[in-house]
Amino acid sequence: MIDRLGLLAPYATHLSDFSAMMLVLGLPVLLGVLAACWQPRRSWPIVAFSLLPLMALAWLSFRVLPQGGQTWLIELGSLTLQWRANGLTLLLLLLTQVIVLSSAAYAPAYLREEIGSKGQQVWLWPLQGILAASLSLIWLAGDLLTLYIGLELMGLAAVGLMLLPGRVDALAAGMRYLLLALVGSLAFLLGIALLLGAWGRLDLVGLALAAKPGVLLWVAVALLSAGLLLKAAAFPLHAWLAPVHASAWTPVSALHAALVVKGSFFIVLQLWLVLVPEARVAAWLVGGLGGAAVIWGGLLAWRAAKLKDVVAWSTVSQLGYLLLGFSLLIGTTPSVAEVAWEGTWLQLAAHSLAKAGMFLATGNLIYSTGESHVRGLAGASRRMPLSLLSFGIAAISLIGLPPSAGFTAKWLLLHASLEAGYWPWIAALALGTLLSAAYIFRVFRYSFVEDAEPLDYRRVPWSMELFALALALASLLLGLVAEWPLMLLRAAGGGA
Amino acid sequence: MPPFLDALLALAMVALAALVLLDRHLVRACAWFVAFAVSVALTWWRVGFAWLALLELLLGALLTGAFLFYALDVKLWAGAPQVRLARWRDPVPLTWRRGLLRLLPALAVLAMLGMALASLADASGPLRAGGLGLIGLGLWAFALHRHLLRRLLAFNVIGTGIFLILMGLVGDRHPAAGHGLVVTGLLVALLGTALGALLIRRLSGLEVRGVRSAARAGRGGA
């Protein structure tokens, strides 16, 4: 599996590849700072300028993909950092840029219409840029020091974004989130300290060869996983997620649910594949937690009174699927791991796109009706079909109906569970599908109430509608062209 | 170096950390924190990490201390306190039952860590013992206290403990990697503390405003 992660890819020889990578990392921050100086009032400049990092990414892909993957060694004095790129990392980079672009392009109209002059709007842009760069750093990192830096940057930027509304509830939720994030990163650092003390290295390839099973390895992996799973809102460490989303701005919620929690999940999966690839029982336990998350998150989403809580709890549920995939990757036969590998990453991509789209659509619904409760949607179907359409298309992928990418991903995970003989997982997948259908149709049931008293609806600006619809459609269309990301994932090799 | 002095230094660090974490008077606790950071810097200097000592003095004692006092709205140049002292005390008293109950998770983590460290044969003096003590104390305080500032203090103490253990483990063999991690960690701790201090200040400001407007509304209703 290490070759799948691209860690064994050949070393880069050309300087141009390195500069392409630095552009991919640096441009989002630069654009964020520029946007803070000249605050964009419309969406089109954001889209136009966001093409620059996308072009840099295309250049990087063009350089990297023919060889399957590439590794860079970065010497800083006596310190050596190791970064790598392969099909998987390029896919994740593309996902990050598309979602950051959409949420940034959604923001101007949202800030103008919904927020007005409240909150600290200037900070939104540089923090989004830092978030994009730190996520890219996490996808590219091939050693623990880079991972630590990326994780911390991402955590602090995410906390900063959550605080922007400046209201008491946002600040209180943000403070809780800050303390949890800090404790999670301390556990992560302690785990790294143990690994470095025992085997004297931080690069993942070297650790994979050097690490020997024993008490120390287990304690280190337990500390690393506990810190990261806390940040990834994995069951039962998920309680902070819903209050944080309830008070955050809509584009920030979309970014957070789609990308930030995925960053921690990616690191945890990578570390397990590198350090303890045969730990079947422990992975089974994590998968059990994932199954519980699918069901518990679905139940709470079904019971939630507020619209944003429905979407936030559905994130807990959907992250459970990723943990199920996690357990199918560790300590299973190669044929099972093969299928689970594709299913897990496709689920990650599908959920990111669908959840970002759904959060934006939810923001539109709340903006238009002025109601944050599900009940407040009564009669909304006649007035705002487009927002409901985006919500529905995103829901198709979340529930896992064909032809969405969510369907393909869940199908692959089901296939892997069957082959591995993990019967409880199949029950969790089936129950999760039913529950997600239940909480989605609950929202629709309220919106199709015909005899509700008419509310004053505000017209949603077209750019807000457009980007919600675009992300939702992307999650649907990804299912139709699923062969393309899967090909990238299969070609993830290099070396092998 | 004489082991007696090392043991004394480790003991001083842990004792100062205990004062930081147990003093209910918050201004005094923050003052203890500055003293604690200075003792940590002294330890770094004793074991030969002069750069870390300097950074600890600058980031830990000076800047973190400044942010902590900012969170409490203490003006060092103002002399006598301008506001009521009640705001500077943690209102929740320490009860033995709660204290013992919250000790359990800290002990569990310490036991786990102790087992892991025992499997690494090489012993190294004050750093490891002091680090373990700080981590245990900090975890206990973090689980025990509800006051945001005290949790921030506990986080800083745990972090320092982890840095000490890290450098104790890595020692002279991989100084570059160890330094990289510790410097990143120190910066993150500073940024986290700064963000937390700004938040605490702002939250208490909003609370005061809320109480005032509620009182005004009450008067208006009556």
Side-chain angles (χ1 to χ4, degrees), chain A residues 62-76:
Chain A
F62 180 69
R63 303 287 314 189
V64 165
L65 278 181
Q67 314 157 50
Q70 227 165 55
T71 308
W72 293 270
L73 288 182
I74 296 143
E75 310 265 349
L76 298 170

Side-chain angles (χ1 to χ4, degrees), chain A residues 288-346:
Chain A
L289 291 180
V294 168
I295 292 166
W296 181 244
L299 278 175
L300 284 178
W302 187 40
R303 302 297 307 158
K306 286 188 172 174
L307 205 49
K308 267 197 152 183
D309 284 354
V310 173
V311 189
W313 283 112
S314 121
T315 306
V316 173
S317 168
Q318 296 282 324
L319 288 172
Y321 290 114
L322 290 181
L323 293 182
L324 289 181
F326 177 91
S327 68
L328 290 165
L329 278 168
I330 307 235
T332 48
T333 54
S335 60
V336 173
E338 184 105 357
V339 181
W341 176 260
E342 295 173 358
T344 308
W345 297 123
L346 200 60

